[in-house]
Amino acid sequence: MTQEFRLKDEGLIDRSKKISFKFNGKKYFGYEGDTLASALIANGVHLVGRSFKYHRPRGFYGAGVDDPYALVQLIRNNETIPNIKATEQELFEGLEAKSVNCWPNVNFDIGGINNFLRIFLPAGFYYKTFMWPKSFWYRIYEPFIRKAAGFGVVTHEHDKEKYEHKYEYCDLLVTGSGPSGLASAYSAAKNGAKVILAEDKPRFGGSLLTSEVTIGNQTGKEWADKIVTELKEMPNVVVKNRAQVFGYYDHNMLVMSERISEHMPKTEKFMPKQKLWYIRAKEVVISSGSIERPIVFGNNDTPGILLSSAAKEYMKVYGVLVGKKPLIFTNNDSAYETAIEFKKNGINPIVLDSRKELNSDLITEAKNLGIDIKFEHVVVNANGYRKVKSADIAKISEDKTNLGKIENIACDCICVSGFWTPTIHLASQSGGKTKFNEDIDAFIPSQSKQNETTVGSANGIFNLNDTLKNSFEAGYELSKKITSKENKLSVPAVVEKKNSKHDKFWCVPLPKGKKYKRFLDFQNDVAVSDIELALREGYRSIEHVKRYTTLGMATDQGKTSNLNGLQLVSNIENKVVPEVGHTTFRPPYTPVSIGAIVGREVGKHSKPTRKSPMHSWHEKNNAVFVDAGLWLRPRYYKKGNETLFDASKREAENVRKNVGVCDVTTLGKIDVKGPDAAEFLNRVYTNAWLKLPVGKARYGVMLREDGIVMDDGTTTRVSENHYHMTTTTAQAANVLSHLEYYLQIVWPELNVNVVSTTEQWAGAAIAGPKSRDLLQKLFPETDCSNEGLPFMGFIETKLFGVYARIFRISFSGELAYEVNVESDYGNFMWEKIIELGEEFKIQPYGTEALSTLRIEMGHVAGSELDGRTTPFDSSLEGLLSKKKDFIGKRSLQKEAFISPDREKLVGVVPLDKKTSIPEGSYIVRDANAKLPNPKLGHVSASCWSVEYNNPFSLAIIKDGKNMIGQKLFALSPLKSKSIPVEIVSSHYVDPKGERVRS
Amino acid sequence: MQKYSVFNLIKNAFSSHENWEVAWKDPTPKKSYDVIIIGGGGHGLATAYYLAKEHNITNVAIIEKGWIGGGNVGRNTTIIRSNFMHDANGRFNEFSMDLWRNMSQELNFNVMFSPRGIINLAHSDAQMNAYARRGNSMRLNGIDAVLLNREQVKKIIPMADFSEDVRFPIFGGLMQPSAGTARHDAVAWGYARQADSMGVDIIQNCEVIGFDVVGGKIKGVRTSKGDIKANKIGLCVAGSTSILAEKLNMTLPIETHLLQACVSEPIKPLLDHVVTFGAGHFYCSQSDKGEMVMGGDLDGYNSYAQRGNLPTLQHVLTEGIAMFPFLSKLKMLRTWGGIMDMSMDGSPIIDKTHIEGLYLNCGWCYGGFKSTPASGWTFAHTIAQDKVHKLNADYSLNRFSKGYLLDEKGLGTKTWIS
Amino acid sequence: MLFIKCPYCGIRSQNEFAYGGDATVKRPELNKEISDKEWDDFVYNRKSPRGKHLEFWHHISGCRQWFKVHRDTATHEIFKTLKPHEEL
C-alpha cells in the first residue's frame, strides 16, 4: 500500500524507519514516530469505528488525548487490549488493531440500523419504555441493550504485563512541556529547584511543534529542543515524556502514569508496561495547555471532520494530509495557521469564517497566499456517511440566527475551530475554584486551594509573549520560595503573529425545515436536540442534563463537548454560563490502566503472607495450609488418602490419647512492662489482675467500650514488672493499638510500655495425657511435675541450651504446655519435640483438630466471639469482676444485654448421634413452621467429638441455659438439612476441668 | 401526567419530541405545608411519594439544597439485595425488594431493575460458615439464598481467579439470585415525577438554614428561600445529617465518611452478576453501558469532601484484580465519592425524635440505595401515623442506649473501618 | 494522599498512619457514677462536624504513638498536629 496522503518532507517522523502494521486484517505501512491514527490517515483510512448509541461511522476528531472517536482493539504480544486510542498509540512494527463496536465490520455494521431509528431513540428513551411486560426488561430488553453497548472486548486471562510504582519528591512538578511548561521548568531549574517535567506525548514542545513563532533567534521548535536538551543534562531535573499526570490529590500529591514499553513491541522480559509515579511536590505548575473546541453543525460527526489544530498537527508533526480538498470552518484566527499549512503543501483550502471580514497578521498572510476566504459563512451540514463528501454552506446574519442561501461545495475534510478551552482539570481536581472568563468563553482556574499555579493557555493566555513572561516569572518565584536563590533569567524575545478577536459563536442554526443531528458529544451520540429535550423535560441542573443525556460521560470525558453543552444549556435557560456551572472534575484526567494503579501487588503478592519459623517443616510433612488472616497455618497433616475429616479426627484423637504438638506461633504476643503493668491489666481485662504472682499465667477477657468481647487470651507474669500477654491470631494488631490508645491517651499516668513480640517467639503447644512425660524429656533438668509446674504455671528454662519459656496453659482441655523459644530456634525446638515425642506417639496437629478439641471442651473462639457477643452470651460472666471498673463495664448494664431473652452459649448434640450439624444452622422449635420461622439461635461451631465419637456443636441460643435438655431442631435450609437435636451443656468433655490440672 | 410507553415514544418521535412535558415542576415554596421532607435524594423523594400515595398526604414539600438525586442515590454502585443476617435487616430489605420488583410499572419510569444475582465470594471455611449462617437466616426469613461451592462459582463467573497464582483461593460463595441492580438516577427521577404529579412540591437549590422549634414541637424550617411552616418535618439527608442535627442541638450515633467508587471504560458484556470479594472489600458489576462498576472501602477518616483519595482506590483495585485478574487490562474511567452517614452498628435509624413532629431517617452507611423504597415507605408511615411501623421498629434511635444493636459485621463503633 | 506531621517523627505520608476517631470525646473516669446519657455520648454519639475536626491518628507503621490532628473534614486541610495531651 502506498501512503497516498503522506507529505514529501514535512513532519517529525523518521522516514528511514518504515513500519508495517495491520488494521482490520489489512496490511499498511507507516513510519517510526507515527501514531496509529497518523499512519492510517496517511493511508487514506478515516473510518475506524462506530459510535456508542447510533453506531454511526467514526473517524478521527483530534490528534491526541482529546479525541473522542478512535478507540480500537489492540493486539500486542498476543494479548488483546480493549479501548486503545488510535490517536495516542504509537506505531510499532507488527502492530495489529481492529475496529470495535461494529458487526460484521466497520464498513457494514448491522448496529447502524440504530442510526435510522434514531428519531425513536432520543436522550433517555430507555426510561420511557421497555417496561412491559414486566419480566421482559431483565430477560429480553436488557441483554439486547448490553450486547449493543460497550466498546472493546477483554478476555478472562490474567494480564501478562508488569506495572511498577515509584515514589518521588520534588520542589516543582511541571505538567506539560509546551512553551509555558518549558519556561517554568527551565526558570525554576536554573534557580536551583528540584524539578520534574512531565509530558504526555512522545515529543516535547506542545504547541511549539506546530506554531510559526520565533523565540530569541530560533524557531519555536528549536528553542524547545534546546531547553529540553539542557534540562535533561541538569542533575536537579527529571524530564519524562509519555508521562501523563492524571490526578491531583490532597496535600500536593500528584500521580503520573508513564508509558515504559506500551508504545513498542515488548523486547525485554522484565520491562514494565507502565510506571506509576506518586509525586509529592512542594509546588505544582500546571501547564497543560488547551484543547480546541468544535463548532456544532449538522452531521458534524461524519468521518473527515476534525479539529483544525489536529489537521495542522497531522501535517506538521506526522507529515500527513487529512484531506486534499479541505474546508476550514472557524470563528477565530488560529485555524488560518492550518489553512496556510495546507497551502504551503500545495493544497487549496477554503476558509469559512463566521466573523465579519476583518484583518490580522494571519488573515493577511492567508489572503496574500491567495487562500479563498468566505467571511460570515458557516458550514450548515456535512454530507457523506462513511466519509464527508461535501458541505452545505451558507452566509449567516450578524446575530447568527438567519442563514442565507444554502450552497453545496465538495470537500474531503472539514477542519473546525471554535476557539480554545483551557485544560483546567488538574487545577480543579486540586480543589481550586474556577471562574468563567468572558473573553475566551471558557473557565479558567481562579483561587488555588493547594500550592499550584496555572500558566499559559491552561490559564487562558493565548499569546506566546505573555505566556513566556508569566511562566519564567512563575518558575522563578516558586523556586525562590523553596531554594531562596535569586538566579533570575531574562525572558527571550518573541516574534509571533497577533490574533484578532474570536467570534462568540459555537453552534450553527438549523436551516428551515431541516432536522440535521448536530452533535455535541461524539462518542455517546449526544446531539443538540437531546439537550433541548432534557431541558424541556425539566432536567435543568447541569448534572441532570449530563446524567439524562450522558453528555461528557464517554471515555473522552467531554474534553471536546462539555463547554459547548454548557453554552447550549445557558442559551436555552437564559442564564450565563457561570450560573449553569460545570460538573465536577475528578481524577483521572484520562482513563488510566487499572494494572498500573495496582502495581506489583497482584496474584500471590496481593497481600503479604506470614509464615511461622516451622513452616518448611510443615510443608515437608504434608501439611495442608489454611489462611488465618495473613498467616498460613497447617490445617491438618495429610497421611495417604486421608480426607480433612479423617486426618483431623486422627490428630485430635491422638491428643486425647497420647500427645500432639501444634504450631501456635501465630498467636499475638505483647510484652507489657512497667511498675503499673498490673494496674493496667486490671483495667483492660474484665477479671482481677492485681494479685497474680510472678511465674503464673491467667486467662483474661477484654471488652470494647460497648461491652462486646474484643479478645481473650492468657497473660503471664514473667517478673515483677513484666507481663507476657497473648492474643488471638486475628486480633493481635487491634489489641496492641487498643492498649497503646489507653496508655497514651486515656491513662498516661500509668507507667507502662507495650510492644509486640509476636515475631520474636516461636510457639509450640504440646497437649495430651503424655505431654508431661515428653516435656520432662525435653527439659531433663527442669522439674516438670504437677507440683514443679502446676496448671497456669510458668517457668524459664533451657531447651538443650536454648532459652525457653514453658507455660502450662491449655486450649485443648488436655494436660498441655506451651513452649516458646526465640524464633530462630523455632525449627530446632519443633524437631526436638517430634524426635523425643516419637516414643509417646506424638503427632503434629493442625487447626482443624485444634478446633475439635476446643469445641468439645466448650472453649469459645472467633466463631463465638464474633464482635456481637457479650461476656454473658459467651459463658464468660465468671470472669467479670464486681469489685473494679474495667473497659466496657458500664455498657454491660444495657437492657438488651441483661435480658433473659439474650442468646447464650450451649452445646448441641444430634439425637441420632450421627448427623453432623452444619455450622451456620439455626436452632428452631418447629422444623416445618411457616416462614419466617422464629429462630432461637445459631450453631457457631461443629466438630466430631473424638471423646464420645459423635457430632457435637456449640450454639448461641435464646435463654440458653434454661434450654438444656430440650429437644429442638437444627435447620440448614441451604444444605436442605433438618436435624433433631438435644441442647446440652457447652462443656461436653471434662466439665470440671480436671484434665488440665492433672 | 403523560404516560411513558413505547406508543407515546413513537408518537412523540413524529413531533420531534417537542411535546414531552416536564418530569417535575419547579415551584416556588408555599408558606406552609403539612409535611416537609428535607433532602431530595432517593429516600426523601420516595418518602414524599409514599406519603401521597399510601397516606393521601399531598401538601408536601421536598427541600433540596442542590439538585434532586445528587446525593448518594446518584453516586452508588446500584446494588439491590436483601442478603442480611439480622432478621430486622433481612425483612426490611426483602420488603424493599418487593417494591423494587414493581417499581418501573408503579412509577411508569423504567428504573431497569435487573435481578441478575449477587455472589459473595468466600475464601476460607470459616467464611463459608459465616455465609451459611447468613444464608440460612435469609432462607428462614423467606429470602432466597444459595450456598455455592468452588465449582459452582466457577461455572457462573469463570473470569474470577481460579488459578494457582492466587493469595486467597475461592472456596465458594453465597448467592442471592433475586438480588441485582437498578438504574440509580432513574429511581430518583421516577419518584420525583410521580410525587410531583400527586401535588408534592419539589424545591431545589433551597438550603435549610435553621429550624423553628417551640415548646419541644417542630414548627417549620428557615431556608435560603424563606421560612416555611410545617408541623411535621422529616430529615432525610444521609451524609449531611450531622450538619442539620447540630442546628437542632442533637448529637447522633453517626459519623460522616467518604466512600469512593469508580467505573472502567465500557467493554462488551462479560460479567452478568454482582460479585463481592471475600478477602477484602471490593465489589463489581457491569453496567448496561458496559462499564465495570467498582466499589470498596471507606477513605477511613471523617470526610465531607465528596472527593476521594488514591490510596483507598489503589487498595480497592488491588482487591479487584485479586478477584478478577482481567480488570488489570482495563482502564479506570471515572471515580467519584459519596458521603455516608455511618451509624455505630452499621444499620439505619428510622424513628421519631424527642422533638414532636421531627422525624429522623439516617444511618444508611454505604447501603442506602437498595433500601430506598422501603425506607420511603416506612418513613412515610412513621410520619403520617406518628408511630413506627413494625418493619422499622428495630431501627430505633434509642437502640444504642438500650443495647439492641444490629451489627451485621461485628465491627462495633469504629465506623471508619468497613 | 494526606501528608501528616507526626509530632514525634515529622511529616509522613498517610499510609503510615491509622485513623482513630473524634479526639474531643473524653472517656469518663473509671469508677465514676455517670448517667446513661453521658456514657452513650462517649461510646456512640458524635458531632461529626463539616469543617474543623480534632481527631486522633496513630502512627501505626512508625513510632506507634497516638496524637491529635486538627483537620478540615471538607477540604482535608490540616491546621495543626498535637501530642495527645496538648490542647489546641
Side-chain angles (χ1 to χ4, degrees), chain A residues 52 79 82-83 101 119-120 122 126-132 134 137-138 142 146-159 163 165 248-250 255 278 429-430 515 524 533 536-541 543-544 547-548 553-555 557 586-588 591-595 597-598 601-604 606-609 627 629-630 635 704 706 866-868 894-897 919-922 931-933 935 938 971-975, chain B residues 4-6 9 13 16-18 20-24 26 67-68 74-75 85 87 91 101-102 104-105 108-110 112-116 125 129 132-133 135-137 139-142 145 147 159 161 163-168 183 185-186 189 204 265-271 279 286-289 294 306-307 309-310 314 317-319 321 325-336 400-404 407-412:
Chain A
F52 197 78
E79 277 210 81
N83 301 349
N101 203 30
I119 64 160
F120 305 111
Y126 30 73
Y127 297 126
K128 297 188 174 103
T129 181
F130 301 130
M131 288 182 269
W132 297 270
K134 202 166 93 178
W137 168 254
Y138 175 57
E142 190 184 37
R146 282 171 86 81
K147 255 198 184 144
F151 283 112
V153 292
V154 69
T155 56
H156 292 181
E157 283 83 58
H158 291 219
D159 193 347
Y163 305 87
H165 284 180
Y248 199 136
Y249 293 90
D250 293 310
V255 186
Y278 292 80
Q429 282 177 24
S430 76
K515 295 243 156 81
N524 275 355
L533 175 64
R536 188 179 303 133
E537 295 195 81
Y539 298 90
R540 296 174 57 193
S541 139
E543 284 283 353
H544 283 156
R547 284 155 186 262
Y548 192 66
M553 292 182 82
T555 60
Q557 290 153 312
R586 297 177 191 281
V592 52
S593 157
I594 291 175
I597 295 175
V598 170
E601 294 177 2
V602 292
K604 287 245 187 261
S606 70
K607 289 260 170 73
T609 304
D627 287 300
L630 296 178
R635 191 174 187 190
R704 308 190 307 221
D706 63 0
D866 63 356
R868 286 176 278 251
K894 287 185 186 288
E895 182 185 300
F897 291 0
E919 282 156 323
S921 299
Y922 280 82
L931 300 182
N933 190 342
K935 302 158 188 158
H938 76 282
L971 290 191
S972 175
L974 289 173
K975 293 180 178 162
Chain B
Y4 288 167
S5 68
V6 67
L9 195 64
S16 303
H17 300 284
E18 277 170 15
W20 288 110
E21 293 168 3
V22 291
W24 58 85
D26 206 358
W67 37 281
I68 60 164
R75 294 169 186 276
M85 185 185 76
D87 292 346
R91 288 173 198 167
R101 289 178 188 114
N102 295 304
S104 291
Q105 289 69 34
N108 180 230
F109 202 105
N110 189 357
M112 306 180 196
F113 174 60
S114 174
R116 49 191 56 252
D125 276 339
N129 292 338
R133 179 180 172 191
N136 281 326
S137 176
R139 290 281 290 268
L140 292 173
N141 281 326
L147 202 61
M159 72 294 287
D161 198 344
S163 74
E164 291 296 309
D165 183 32
V166 58
R167 178 69 183 81
F168 297 108
R183 172 81 192 120
D185 290 328
W189 301 339
Q204 301 184 81
E265 294 187 311
I267 50 167
K268 288 292 172 193
L270 178 81
L271 176 66
Q286 188 172 15
S287 75
D288 289 347
K289 269 186 85 175
M294 300 172 276
Q306 278 197 354
R307 63 196 278 273
N309 232 326
L310 193 63
Q314 184 189 328
L317 292 173
T318 301
E319 297 184 337
I321 291 183
F326 77 84
L327 287 175
S328 177
K329 297 185 275 189
L330 297 184
K331 293 200 243 5
M332 182 176 81
L333 173 61
R334 272 196 314 277
T335 63
W336 66 93
F400 298 93
S401 137
K402 294 199 164 167
Y404 294 101
D407 194 345
E408 286 283 333
K409 292 186 174 169
L411 290 170

Side-chain angles (χ1 to χ4, degrees), chain A residues 483-659:
Chain A
T483 64
S484 305
K485 292 184 182 159
E486 295 188 5
N487 183 14
K488 192 169 183 174
L489 305 175
S490 58
V491 185
V494 168
V495 181
E496 63 180 322
K497 292 178 180 113
K498 235 181 124 198
N499 284 356
S500 54
K501 182 89 182 79
H502 77 283
D503 197 355
K504 289 176 186 291
F505 169 72
W506 58 275
C507 182
V508 180
L510 286 176
K512 275 200 187 80
K514 296 288 183 189
K515 295 243 156 81
Y516 301 130
K517 277 272 176 196
R518 293 170 296 169
F519 287 95
L520 292 162
D521 186 311
F522 298 111
Q523 193 182 105
N524 275 355
D525 296 299
V526 181
V528 170
S529 57
D530 294 311
I531 306 285
E532 288 168 345
L533 175 64
L535 294 166
R536 188 179 303 133
E537 295 195 81
Y539 298 90
R540 296 174 57 193
S541 139
I542 190 64
E543 284 283 353
H544 283 156
V545 172
K546 167 183 135 185
R547 284 155 186 262
Y548 192 66
T549 64
T550 73
L551 174 78
M553 292 182 82
T555 60
D556 64 313
Q557 290 153 312
K559 290 185 176 64
T560 52
S561 64
N562 276 343
L563 211 64
N564 283 339
L566 287 183
Q567 295 274 16
L568 179 60
V569 172
S570 63
N571 283 8
I572 298 172
E573 293 275 286
N574 258 326
K575 287 179 179 168
V576 290
V577 173
E579 259 184 88
V580 175
H582 54 74
T583 55
T584 317
F585 292 99
R586 297 177 191 281
Y589 168 64
T590 56
V592 52
S593 157
I594 291 175
I597 295 175
V598 170
R600 301 300 291 270
E601 294 177 2
V602 292
K604 287 245 187 261
H605 303 290
S606 70
K607 289 260 170 73
T609 304
R610 299 178 77 180
K611 296 174 181 172
S612 99
M614 289 85 94
H615 189 84
S616 55
W617 189 94
H618 304 320
E619 272 180 330
K620 271 182 248 152
N621 288 274
N622 297 325
V624 176
F625 292 94
V626 61
D627 287 300
L630 296 178
W631 289 97
L632 279 181
R633 297 190 71 177
R635 191 174 187 190
Y636 62 99
Y637 300 82
K638 192 173 175 140
K639 279 191 178 170
N641 290 328
E642 275 182 333
T643 61
L644 165 67
F645 179 83
D646 300 335
S648 61
K649 189 161 168 254
R650 166 181 54 76
E651 290 169 11
E653 272 169 356
N654 192 57
V655 171
R656 292 267 184 255
K657 214 161 74 194
N658 300 307
V659 59

